[in-house]
Amino acid sequence: MKLRYLLLSTLAVAISSANASVVRPTGFHPGEVRWQELGDKSDDFTSGSLNPGKWVNAPASLNVGAWTFDPANTYVQDGNLVIETTQDTHIRRFADSCWDGVAGGPPQFVDREFYYKSGAVHSIAKGVYGFYEAKIKGVEIFPGLSPAFWLYSDDHPYDDRNDPTKQYVDYSEIDIVELQQADWRSPTDFDDQYDMDHNLHARVEENGQIVWKRPKPNPEAQLLHYRAPFDPRLDFHTYAVENRPDRITWYVDGVEVGSKPNKWWHRPMRVTFSQGLRRHLIKYNPDCQRADPNPDNIISEGFPEKARMKVNYVKTWKALPSVWVEDQDKYTGTEYPNSKPLDVSVNYHGGSDFYVESGNYNGVTVNLVEKNASGVVQVIRSSNDPSTTSDANKYAGKTTLSLDLSGVTPSNQLPNGHYYALAPVFSSSNGNPVYAQSPIEPIKITGNGDSNDVPVTGVELTPQTASVKVNETVKLTSTVKPYNASDKGVYYYSDNSNIASVNNSGVVTGKVKGTTNITVTTNDGAYTSQSVVNVIDNSGGWTPVTGVEVSPSSLSLSLGQTKLLNVSVLPSHASNQSVTFQSNNPSVAIVNGQGQVTAKGKGTAQVTVKTKNGGFTDSVTITVK
């Protein structure tokens, strides 16, 4: 029996999206990370034809045994790259390694009958670390076809296989997005068009053998499933990944949807677009462990007019070493008494190919400088965070630095034309200092009692419980109340620093197995809050999840407002702390993979958090006014 297909027969005629100049990744702001576009892996598809200087059409290395990639199925039209699938019964020579019904044997060439052709292109140029983004519209036919945007390496074998200092990686693949697969969990499962996949694949050496590392057997390290708040077939949306030496992070429409540690994805890779067939049009052959053509379900309806994916642009950037301060107006619009410290939150990115090193600054640093029309007169105060040079933090992050203002001359007592400014900086591994792109000035310093102080009324330390392995770190966050308190200075201490220590930024380091309390205390009023930290022995066994809690239990937001939910997996030292989020009413509120809720429309929605281990749930009610 043939499957019925969900066709959007009422779709409006597709109108090409304007190829506006895209100068930075979607969701990123000017004055923050500095980006350098890489033209050899970028294209706005406005030339009228596929650029042979950038792309290989229907590369032979991508052809599989279930359908054929044909050059005629990929073309440029109306400012878009178009990849279409056609129902076309044909014969092709195929290197069959399962010709005798046994998988993995020496291949023999056979004449095989195929029923579909599709399209694929990959870039001539290769890249490793950087930011890759494309604006894509999915395919109207569903299920059966899967538009994909991905990176893969093809230079194996590599000459470092015998390097004893590292594990050999034979193949790296980053799936930036696979749309409309409909079967991501298991062959008997069925996802709808809102489900999309952002996964990792690799081939590595273990015990002298080259073995595959696939997402489903290794979900924590390689599998990322996202349920979008939109139908990808109806319009163009941006899909992106940033590949850093330490982490791989995925974005949909500029919102982060997940992140994984980067273990094996350091090979040069090609930018690739393809439209593959899925199990509704092909069949799985368990004896040969592969997908084969399916002569029992040949569908011609909708091909090719409803079987086209479109790509409006693809952009690739290198991140350049960058340092910046968010909400600069907060600092330039506030008066700071010299009787209290000035806390400055500094963001940094080491750059795609570099990192923060000690250099002249010993980590990310913020200086309070005195300036005049000629430039910097002198550095008045300085604060740095050496932990930003550690392997765990040197590639990117955020740190809060405290400047001691005691004894600083008030701004109104400086010589005429002089003023204060904040100057964040760090030393890059490229050998140069890295400064903020725009000055944070003027900073107004007042004498003691010159301004109306807002007293502190409390402090909250989150998460309330945390787990950390021996010799690893976890960051606790303190929130001083009210938000406009004059003195937001705090200090931390551990009840038992032999079990876990804590620095002035709230970064906890596990020492030995055990449990201790970390307390934060405000400078103003000595208000306190505590977190319980469990230090886990790296050699310990598996601890199952017993529950999950999300706070607050209800939330009221204005249109466009965002809020990060606080989630506690129980027990705090459970081995698998991973959770997923889902909104039951995306038209009112959406939620990303990190628990950040965004108000989209008036009404009420419920956001549910679910543990990957055990499937425990809790929910929060969102009201958008």
PDB file of all heavy atoms in Angstrom, residues 42-69:
ATOM      1  N   SER A  42      31.047  31.201   0.931  1.00  0.00           N
ATOM      2  CA  SER A  42      29.843  32.021   1.046  1.00  0.00           C
ATOM      3  C   SER A  42      29.276  32.273  -0.348  1.00  0.00           C
ATOM      4  O   SER A  42      30.022  32.349  -1.321  1.00  0.00           O
ATOM      5  CB  SER A  42      30.157  33.356   1.727  1.00  0.00           C
ATOM      6  OG  SER A  42      30.655  33.173   3.039  1.00  0.00           O
ATOM      7  N   ASP A  43      27.942  32.401  -0.434  1.00  0.00           N
ATOM      8  CA  ASP A  43      27.316  32.616  -1.740  1.00  0.00           C
ATOM      9  C   ASP A  43      25.907  33.149  -1.503  1.00  0.00           C
ATOM     10  O   ASP A  43      25.181  32.647  -0.642  1.00  0.00           O
ATOM     11  CB  ASP A  43      27.246  31.299  -2.523  1.00  0.00           C
ATOM     12  CG  ASP A  43      27.136  31.510  -4.030  1.00  0.00           C
ATOM     13  OD1 ASP A  43      26.634  32.575  -4.445  1.00  0.00           O
ATOM     14  OD2 ASP A  43      27.560  30.605  -4.782  1.00  0.00           O
ATOM     15  N   ASP A  44      25.524  34.196  -2.273  1.00  0.00           N
ATOM     16  CA  ASP A  44      24.147  34.689  -2.196  1.00  0.00           C
ATOM     17  C   ASP A  44      23.312  34.246  -3.395  1.00  0.00           C
ATOM     18  O   ASP A  44      22.152  34.639  -3.520  1.00  0.00           O
ATOM     19  CB  ASP A  44      24.105  36.212  -2.041  1.00  0.00           C
ATOM     20  CG  ASP A  44      24.816  36.935  -3.179  1.00  0.00           C
ATOM     21  OD1 ASP A  44      25.154  36.277  -4.193  1.00  0.00           O
ATOM     22  OD2 ASP A  44      25.017  38.151  -3.065  1.00  0.00           O
ATOM     23  N   PHE A  45      23.894  33.465  -4.296  1.00  0.00           N
ATOM     24  CA  PHE A  45      23.191  32.817  -5.409  1.00  0.00           C
ATOM     25  C   PHE A  45      22.436  33.829  -6.290  1.00  0.00           C
ATOM     26  O   PHE A  45      21.316  33.570  -6.739  1.00  0.00           O
ATOM     27  CB  PHE A  45      22.243  31.742  -4.884  1.00  0.00           C
ATOM     28  CG  PHE A  45      22.930  30.706  -4.054  1.00  0.00           C
ATOM     29  CD1 PHE A  45      22.680  30.609  -2.694  1.00  0.00           C
ATOM     30  CD2 PHE A  45      23.870  29.845  -4.605  1.00  0.00           C
ATOM     31  CE1 PHE A  45      23.329  29.661  -1.896  1.00  0.00           C
ATOM     32  CE2 PHE A  45      24.528  28.906  -3.826  1.00  0.00           C
ATOM     33  CZ  PHE A  45      24.257  28.808  -2.462  1.00  0.00           C
ATOM     34  N   THR A  46      23.063  34.968  -6.546  1.00  0.00           N
ATOM     35  CA  THR A  46      22.427  35.992  -7.390  1.00  0.00           C
ATOM     36  C   THR A  46      23.017  36.052  -8.794  1.00  0.00           C
ATOM     37  O   THR A  46      22.597  36.875  -9.602  1.00  0.00           O
ATOM     38  CB  THR A  46      22.573  37.384  -6.733  1.00  0.00           C
ATOM     39  OG1 THR A  46      23.956  37.658  -6.502  1.00  0.00           O
ATOM     40  CG2 THR A  46      21.808  37.444  -5.418  1.00  0.00           C
ATOM     41  N   SER A  47      23.984  35.177  -9.099  1.00  0.00           N
ATOM     42  CA  SER A  47      24.648  35.254 -10.405  1.00  0.00           C
ATOM     43  C   SER A  47      23.839  34.597 -11.511  1.00  0.00           C
ATOM     44  O   SER A  47      24.168  34.740 -12.690  1.00  0.00           O
ATOM     45  CB  SER A  47      26.025  34.581 -10.316  1.00  0.00           C
ATOM     46  OG  SER A  47      25.900  33.194 -10.051  1.00  0.00           O
ATOM     47  N   GLY A  48      22.787  33.856 -11.166  1.00  0.00           N
ATOM     48  CA  GLY A  48      21.952  33.213 -12.182  1.00  0.00           C
ATOM     49  C   GLY A  48      22.323  31.785 -12.473  1.00  0.00           C
ATOM     50  O   GLY A  48      21.560  31.062 -13.125  1.00  0.00           O
ATOM     51  N   SER A  49      23.504  31.340 -12.022  1.00  0.00           N
ATOM     52  CA  SER A  49      23.909  29.949 -12.217  1.00  0.00           C
ATOM     53  C   SER A  49      24.844  29.542 -11.081  1.00  0.00           C
ATOM     54  O   SER A  49      25.403  30.397 -10.382  1.00  0.00           O
ATOM     55  CB  SER A  49      24.601  29.760 -13.569  1.00  0.00           C
ATOM     56  OG  SER A  49      25.776  30.552 -13.650  1.00  0.00           O
ATOM     57  N   LEU A  50      25.020  28.265 -10.935  1.00  0.00           N
ATOM     58  CA  LEU A  50      25.882  27.754  -9.880  1.00  0.00           C
ATOM     59  C   LEU A  50      27.333  28.099 -10.204  1.00  0.00           C
ATOM     60  O   LEU A  50      27.811  27.846 -11.307  1.00  0.00           O
ATOM     61  CB  LEU A  50      25.713  26.241  -9.751  1.00  0.00           C
ATOM     62  CG  LEU A  50      26.323  25.586  -8.504  1.00  0.00           C
ATOM     63  CD1 LEU A  50      25.624  26.066  -7.243  1.00  0.00           C
ATOM     64  CD2 LEU A  50      26.229  24.061  -8.617  1.00  0.00           C
ATOM     65  N   ASN A  51      28.014  28.684  -9.253  1.00  0.00           N
ATOM     66  CA  ASN A  51      29.395  29.137  -9.450  1.00  0.00           C
ATOM     67  C   ASN A  51      30.349  27.937  -9.409  1.00  0.00           C
ATOM     68  O   ASN A  51      30.590  27.371  -8.345  1.00  0.00           O
ATOM     69  CB  ASN A  51      29.763  30.141  -8.361  1.00  0.00           C
ATOM     70  CG  ASN A  51      31.130  30.764  -8.572  1.00  0.00           C
ATOM     71  OD1 ASN A  51      31.968  30.249  -9.314  1.00  0.00           O
ATOM     72  ND2 ASN A  51      31.384  31.875  -7.900  1.00  0.00           N
ATOM     73  N   PRO A  52      30.932  27.545 -10.557  1.00  0.00           N
ATOM     74  CA  PRO A  52      31.831  26.378 -10.566  1.00  0.00           C
ATOM     75  C   PRO A  52      33.150  26.648  -9.852  1.00  0.00           C
ATOM     76  O   PRO A  52      33.889  25.709  -9.562  1.00  0.00           O
ATOM     77  CB  PRO A  52      32.045  26.118 -12.055  1.00  0.00           C
ATOM     78  CG  PRO A  52      31.860  27.460 -12.708  1.00  0.00           C
ATOM     79  CD  PRO A  52      30.801  28.155 -11.898  1.00  0.00           C
ATOM     80  N   GLY A  53      33.420  27.923  -9.537  1.00  0.00           N
ATOM     81  CA  GLY A  53      34.625  28.236  -8.790  1.00  0.00           C
ATOM     82  C   GLY A  53      34.464  28.011  -7.299  1.00  0.00           C
ATOM     83  O   GLY A  53      35.452  28.024  -6.559  1.00  0.00           O
ATOM     84  N   LYS A  54      33.205  27.789  -6.866  1.00  0.00           N
ATOM     85  CA  LYS A  54      32.942  27.572  -5.440  1.00  0.00           C
ATOM     86  C   LYS A  54      32.345  26.204  -5.142  1.00  0.00           C
ATOM     87  O   LYS A  54      32.526  25.690  -4.037  1.00  0.00           O
ATOM     88  CB  LYS A  54      31.966  28.641  -4.914  1.00  0.00           C
ATOM     89  CG  LYS A  54      32.549  30.034  -4.837  1.00  0.00           C
ATOM     90  CD  LYS A  54      31.570  30.997  -4.156  1.00  0.00           C
ATOM     91  CE  LYS A  54      32.180  32.388  -4.029  1.00  0.00           C
ATOM     92  NZ  LYS A  54      31.275  33.324  -3.302  1.00  0.00           N
ATOM     93  N   TRP A  55      31.608  25.618  -6.107  1.00  0.00           N
ATOM     94  CA  TRP A  55      30.804  24.437  -5.805  1.00  0.00           C
ATOM     95  C   TRP A  55      31.082  23.282  -6.758  1.00  0.00           C
ATOM     96  O   TRP A  55      31.322  23.491  -7.954  1.00  0.00           O
ATOM     97  CB  TRP A  55      29.310  24.780  -5.880  1.00  0.00           C
ATOM     98  CG  TRP A  55      28.919  25.895  -4.979  1.00  0.00           C
ATOM     99  CD1 TRP A  55      28.709  27.205  -5.316  1.00  0.00           C
ATOM    100  CD2 TRP A  55      28.720  25.814  -3.572  1.00  0.00           C
ATOM    101  NE1 TRP A  55      28.380  27.943  -4.213  1.00  0.00           N
ATOM    102  CE2 TRP A  55      28.373  27.119  -3.114  1.00  0.00           C
ATOM    103  CE3 TRP A  55      28.784  24.772  -2.636  1.00  0.00           C
ATOM    104  CZ2 TRP A  55      28.108  27.393  -1.780  1.00  0.00           C
ATOM    105  CZ3 TRP A  55      28.519  25.051  -1.301  1.00  0.00           C
ATOM    106  CH2 TRP A  55      28.181  26.347  -0.884  1.00  0.00           C
ATOM    107  N   VAL A  56      31.020  22.079  -6.213  1.00  0.00           N
ATOM    108  CA  VAL A  56      31.028  20.850  -7.001  1.00  0.00           C
ATOM    109  C   VAL A  56      29.608  20.314  -7.005  1.00  0.00           C
ATOM    110  O   VAL A  56      29.018  20.066  -5.938  1.00  0.00           O
ATOM    111  CB  VAL A  56      31.987  19.800  -6.412  1.00  0.00           C
ATOM    112  CG1 VAL A  56      31.889  18.488  -7.186  1.00  0.00           C
ATOM    113  CG2 VAL A  56      33.419  20.329  -6.416  1.00  0.00           C
ATOM    114  N   ASN A  57      29.032  20.138  -8.191  1.00  0.00           N
ATOM    115  CA  ASN A  57      27.651  19.682  -8.329  1.00  0.00           C
ATOM    116  C   ASN A  57      27.617  18.158  -8.431  1.00  0.00           C
ATOM    117  O   ASN A  57      28.357  17.554  -9.205  1.00  0.00           O
ATOM    118  CB  ASN A  57      27.024  20.310  -9.575  1.00  0.00           C
ATOM    119  CG  ASN A  57      25.520  20.106  -9.634  1.00  0.00           C
ATOM    120  OD1 ASN A  57      24.927  19.445  -8.784  1.00  0.00           O
ATOM    121  ND2 ASN A  57      24.897  20.695 -10.650  1.00  0.00           N
ATOM    122  N   ALA A  58      26.745  17.551  -7.623  1.00  0.00           N
ATOM    123  CA  ALA A  58      26.569  16.093  -7.602  1.00  0.00           C
ATOM    124  C   ALA A  58      27.898  15.365  -7.453  1.00  0.00           C
ATOM    125  O   ALA A  58      28.268  14.537  -8.296  1.00  0.00           O
ATOM    126  CB  ALA A  58      25.832  15.628  -8.856  1.00  0.00           C
ATOM    127  N   PRO A  59      28.647  15.649  -6.392  1.00  0.00           N
ATOM    128  CA  PRO A  59      29.936  14.968  -6.209  1.00  0.00           C
ATOM    129  C   PRO A  59      29.755  13.457  -6.122  1.00  0.00           C
ATOM    130  O   PRO A  59      28.870  12.956  -5.421  1.00  0.00           O
ATOM    131  CB  PRO A  59      30.462  15.547  -4.889  1.00  0.00           C
ATOM    132  CG  PRO A  59      29.274  16.150  -4.216  1.00  0.00           C
ATOM    133  CD  PRO A  59      28.345  16.583  -5.281  1.00  0.00           C
ATOM    134  N   ALA A  60      30.596  12.744  -6.854  1.00  0.00           N
ATOM    135  CA  ALA A  60      30.472  11.282  -6.922  1.00  0.00           C
ATOM    136  C   ALA A  60      30.639  10.642  -5.553  1.00  0.00           C
ATOM    137  O   ALA A  60      30.042   9.587  -5.269  1.00  0.00           O
ATOM    138  CB  ALA A  60      31.497  10.728  -7.903  1.00  0.00           C
ATOM    139  N   SER A  61      31.433  11.271  -4.674  1.00  0.00           N
ATOM    140  CA  SER A  61      31.680  10.677  -3.362  1.00  0.00           C
ATOM    141  C   SER A  61      30.432  10.612  -2.498  1.00  0.00           C
ATOM    142  O   SER A  61      30.386   9.858  -1.522  1.00  0.00           O
ATOM    143  CB  SER A  61      32.764  11.473  -2.628  1.00  0.00           C
ATOM    144  OG  SER A  61      32.345  12.817  -2.425  1.00  0.00           O
ATOM    145  N   LEU A  62      29.391  11.399  -2.838  1.00  0.00           N
ATOM    146  CA  LEU A  62      28.170  11.413  -2.035  1.00  0.00           C
ATOM    147  C   LEU A  62      27.115  10.434  -2.528  1.00  0.00           C
ATOM    148  O   LEU A  62      26.108  10.216  -1.850  1.00  0.00           O
ATOM    149  CB  LEU A  62      27.571  12.829  -2.011  1.00  0.00           C
ATOM    150  CG  LEU A  62      28.388  13.900  -1.287  1.00  0.00           C
ATOM    151  CD1 LEU A  62      27.619  15.213  -1.270  1.00  0.00           C
ATOM    152  CD2 LEU A  62      28.734  13.470   0.131  1.00  0.00           C
ATOM    153  N   ASN A  63      27.298   9.862  -3.715  1.00  0.00           N
ATOM    154  CA  ASN A  63      26.286   8.952  -4.237  1.00  0.00           C
ATOM    155  C   ASN A  63      26.167   7.712  -3.368  1.00  0.00           C
ATOM    156  O   ASN A  63      27.154   7.124  -2.930  1.00  0.00           O
ATOM    157  CB  ASN A  63      26.606   8.544  -5.677  1.00  0.00           C
ATOM    158  CG  ASN A  63      25.784   9.342  -6.679  1.00  0.00           C
ATOM    159  OD1 ASN A  63      24.640   9.695  -6.389  1.00  0.00           O
ATOM    160  ND2 ASN A  63      26.360   9.629  -7.833  1.00  0.00           N
ATOM    161  N   VAL A  64      24.933   7.331  -3.096  1.00  0.00           N
ATOM    162  CA  VAL A  64      24.630   6.197  -2.216  1.00  0.00           C
ATOM    163  C   VAL A  64      23.898   5.120  -3.005  1.00  0.00           C
ATOM    164  O   VAL A  64      23.646   5.265  -4.195  1.00  0.00           O
ATOM    165  CB  VAL A  64      23.774   6.665  -1.020  1.00  0.00           C
ATOM    166  CG1 VAL A  64      24.560   7.625  -0.142  1.00  0.00           C
ATOM    167  CG2 VAL A  64      22.494   7.335  -1.506  1.00  0.00           C
ATOM    168  N   GLY A  65      23.551   4.059  -2.299  1.00  0.00           N
ATOM    169  CA  GLY A  65      22.935   2.925  -2.977  1.00  0.00           C
ATOM    170  C   GLY A  65      21.431   2.926  -2.982  1.00  0.00           C
ATOM    171  O   GLY A  65      20.814   1.916  -3.316  1.00  0.00           O
ATOM    172  N   ALA A  66      20.783   4.059  -2.615  1.00  0.00           N
ATOM    173  CA  ALA A  66      19.323   4.090  -2.546  1.00  0.00           C
ATOM    174  C   ALA A  66      18.719   5.083  -3.537  1.00  0.00           C
ATOM    175  O   ALA A  66      17.535   5.010  -3.841  1.00  0.00           O
ATOM    176  CB  ALA A  66      18.869   4.423  -1.131  1.00  0.00           C
ATOM    177  N   TRP A  67      19.495   6.056  -4.001  1.00  0.00           N
ATOM    178  CA  TRP A  67      19.059   7.005  -5.017  1.00  0.00           C
ATOM    179  C   TRP A  67      20.304   7.573  -5.692  1.00  0.00           C
ATOM    180  O   TRP A  67      21.426   7.249  -5.306  1.00  0.00           O
ATOM    181  CB  TRP A  67      18.186   8.116  -4.424  1.00  0.00           C
ATOM    182  CG  TRP A  67      18.912   9.054  -3.508  1.00  0.00           C
ATOM    183  CD1 TRP A  67      19.583  10.193  -3.841  1.00  0.00           C
ATOM    184  CD2 TRP A  67      19.066   8.920  -2.093  1.00  0.00           C
ATOM    185  NE1 TRP A  67      20.145  10.775  -2.744  1.00  0.00           N
ATOM    186  CE2 TRP A  67      19.833  10.011  -1.633  1.00  0.00           C
ATOM    187  CE3 TRP A  67      18.635   7.983  -1.152  1.00  0.00           C
ATOM    188  CZ2 TRP A  67      20.169  10.189  -0.307  1.00  0.00           C
ATOM    189  CZ3 TRP A  67      18.960   8.159   0.179  1.00  0.00           C
ATOM    190  CH2 TRP A  67      19.719   9.253   0.600  1.00  0.00           C
ATOM    191  N   THR A  68      20.115   8.443  -6.669  1.00  0.00           N
ATOM    192  CA  THR A  68      21.238   9.008  -7.418  1.00  0.00           C
ATOM    193  C   THR A  68      21.241  10.528  -7.306  1.00  0.00           C
ATOM    194  O   THR A  68      20.190  11.159  -7.470  1.00  0.00           O
ATOM    195  CB  THR A  68      21.143   8.616  -8.905  1.00  0.00           C
ATOM    196  OG1 THR A  68      21.242   7.183  -9.020  1.00  0.00           O
ATOM    197  CG2 THR A  68      22.265   9.257  -9.713  1.00  0.00           C
ATOM    198  N   PHE A  69      22.408  11.106  -7.013  1.00  0.00           N
ATOM    199  CA  PHE A  69      22.573  12.552  -7.096  1.00  0.00           C
ATOM    200  C   PHE A  69      22.947  12.895  -8.535  1.00  0.00           C
ATOM    201  O   PHE A  69      23.962  12.413  -9.066  1.00  0.00           O
ATOM    202  CB  PHE A  69      23.658  13.041  -6.143  1.00  0.00           C
ATOM    203  CG  PHE A  69      23.224  13.061  -4.704  1.00  0.00           C
ATOM    204  CD1 PHE A  69      23.978  12.436  -3.725  1.00  0.00           C
ATOM    205  CD2 PHE A  69      22.062  13.723  -4.322  1.00  0.00           C
ATOM    206  CE1 PHE A  69      23.583  12.454  -2.398  1.00  0.00           C
ATOM    207  CE2 PHE A  69      21.661  13.755  -2.987  1.00  0.00           C
ATOM    208  CZ  PHE A  69      22.425  13.119  -2.029  1.00  0.00           C
TER     209      PHE A  69
END
